Amino acid sequence: MKNTRKFAAMMAALTLSACSIAPMISSAAPASAGHVITIANSDKANHTYEAYQIFSGTYNAGGTGNAGSLTNIQWGTGVNGDNIITDLKKDATLGTLFENCTSAQDVADVLDSKTTDSVTNDEIKVFEDDSNLTQAFAKVVGRNLTDVTSGTYSNGTITGLADGYYLVQD
């Protein structure tokens, strides 16, 4: 359960604005060759971390004060994208959120989608940290990963990764 929750938290981070640092132990963040994924708040000696490239693309750095973004989104290395889409459409918790998805870009767009809070009228992300939707998405993706992406883990950071969004799993 603990690892599932960490995995879910990672997928929630996937929906956050592009940044070069993952905010949680098991998180997703866009990375490029010049960036590092940092694993915060960990007792590094007791863990092994694996990085999975969920989405690949071209990283475009943001301007001053703006986060970067990933464009030309495709499925990452070692991801069975066709199975992910099929499984997302079948998952009862996710309902019809992914029913029109046919590509990695479509899935990424749903993950980044927003809705309006009926009480505050604020715009909020559909996929929030550790929500039921995020956990369901994480389980589907977890069943369809085949390869750990090469990168080097040392002292709380993973370096040497190609452009993309990554799942870092403990």
Side-chain angles (χ1 to χ4, degrees), residues 17-159:
S17 299
C19 63
S20 62
I21 298 175
M24 305 183 82
I25 288 176
S26 295
S27 298
S32 71
H35 292 274
V36 174
I37 295 176
T38 300
I39 301 164
N41 302 321
S42 102
D43 58 354
K44 299 161 194 73
N46 298 321
H47 297 271
T48 300
Y49 298 99
E50 297 173 324
Y52 296 89
Q53 185 186 45
I54 305 302
F55 298 112
S56 66
T58 304
Y59 181 75
N60 299 302
T64 304
N66 295 320
S69 63
L70 195 66
T71 59
N72 191 30
I73 295 175
Q74 304 293 319
W75 291 113
T77 304
V79 174
N80 188 331
D82 290 338
N83 282 358
I84 287 175
I85 290 174
T86 299
D87 289 354
L88 289 172
K89 290 177 180 182
K90 291 179 184 177
D91 190 279
T93 302
L94 297 169
T96 60
L97 287 170
F98 295 94
E99 71 181 347
N100 295 321
C101 292
T102 60
S103 68
Q105 180 67 60
D106 293 343
V107 172
D109 289 345
V110 170
L111 291 172
D112 197 37
S113 64
K114 296 177 178 140
T115 188
T116 302
D117 183 290
S118 60
V119 175
T120 65
N121 229 15
D122 292 334
E123 193 172 66
I124 58 172
K125 290 192 176 277
V126 173
F127 285 81
E128 292 293 332
D129 290 351
D130 206 23
S131 70
N132 289 338
L133 292 176
T134 302
Q135 289 181 28
F137 182 84
K139 287 178 185 176
V140 168
V141 171
R143 290 191 302 263
N144 292 288
L145 298 174
T146 59
D147 293 328
V148 175
T149 301
S150 60
T152 303
Y153 173 75
S154 177
N155 296 320
T157 62
I158 299 176
T159 59

